[in-house]
Amino acid sequence: MNLVKAFRILLLAALGGLLLACSRGPETGPVEVKWDRDTCDRCRMVLSDRFHAAQIRSGPDRKVYKFDDIGGAMLWLEDQPWKDDPATEIWVTDRRDGRWIDGRSATYVDGDVTPMEFGIGAQAEPVEGGMSYQQARQLVLERERRYNAPGANLEEHAHEHH
C-alpha cells in the first residue's frame, strides 16, 4: 500500500470518528426538547409547559430522561439505583423565562401552577422564602405521601365534612 492511500484511509477513519462522536450528542447538560411531541418518562404526558419541565442525565449510559413537572422528576429519581450518584445531572427550566438551569443549585418556589400539580417552580437566583433542591424534594415527597397514597384524598375529604 502506498503512502497516499494509507493517508486517505487514516483521514477517512478520523473523519468518520468525528461524525460519529458528533451524532451521539453531548455527554453532559440538557438536550433539546421537542415541545408538544416529547413525552414525560414518568407519566407519559406530552411536554408542553416550558417553565416547569425537568431533565435528568445519569445511569451507566448517561441517558437523558425528560419530565413535564419538576416534582415528577424528583419522585422518579427516588426509584433509581443511581439517585445519589454525584454524576447524576438534574436540569430544570427557570419558571420565569424557560431557560435550562442546574437543578441542584436552583432556588425553588412553592405556589406555581404545574402540569402534575406539585406546585413547585425553579429559578436561577435566590428569592426570599425560596427552597434548596433538598427542601423542595422533601416537600414533593410529603405531598406525594399525603395526596397520592391510596385513599388519601377520600380520608381528607371525609375529615373536612365531619
Side-chain angles (χ1 to χ4, degrees):
M1 180 164 29
N2 68 23
L3 194 56
V4 173
K5 192 172 186 178
F7 178 73
R8 283 184 184 157
I9 291 171
L10 192 59
L11 183 63
L12 285 174
L15 287 173
L18 282 174
L19 287 173
L20 184 61
C22 290
S23 67
R24 275 195 338 198
E27 298 294 322
T28 187
V31 297
E32 179 185 354
V33 171
K34 293 176 184 80
W35 299 106
D36 303 314
R37 288 199 324 232
D38 287 350
T39 58
C40 175
D41 280 296
R42 182 169 187 256
C43 71
R44 302 296 177 222
M45 284 179 50
V46 172
L47 278 68
S48 59
D49 185 337
R50 290 151 176 81
F51 303 99
H52 296 97
Q55 294 184 30
I56 296 174
R57 180 189 291 271
S58 194
D61 57 0
R62 304 295 297 152
K63 182 177 176 186
V64 175
Y65 301 90
K66 300 172 187 171
F67 304 90
D68 60 350
D69 190 304
I70 296 159
M74 291 174 171
L75 290 176
W76 179 88
L77 186 57
E78 285 297 306
D79 294 332
Q80 304 312 310
W82 33 259
K83 71 178 182 179
D84 296 320
D85 183 345
T88 297
E89 297 176 25
I90 301 166
W91 297 94
V92 293
T93 51
D94 191 298
R95 61 193 286 269
R96 300 160 304 167
D97 60 18
R99 67 189 156 108
W100 290 103
I101 58 176
D102 182 308
R104 291 196 203 277
S105 62
T107 297
Y108 292 86
V109 178
D110 193 14
D112 284 8
V113 175
T114 66
M116 298 307 292
E117 299 181 3
F118 286 100
I120 297 174
Q123 62 184 61
E125 294 78 25
V127 64
E128 187 173 330
M131 297 175 279
S132 69
Y133 174 80
Q134 287 303 327
Q135 291 169 319
R137 181 178 154 270
Q138 288 304 317
L139 182 58
V140 164
L141 293 172
E142 172 58 25
R143 285 181 176 161
E144 179 70 3
R145 184 197 64 73
R146 187 172 180 195
Y147 297 112
N148 290 331
N153 292 332
L154 295 175
E155 289 172 21
E156 290 201 19
H157 185 69
H159 291 295
E160 289 173 3
H161 293 358
H162 289 33

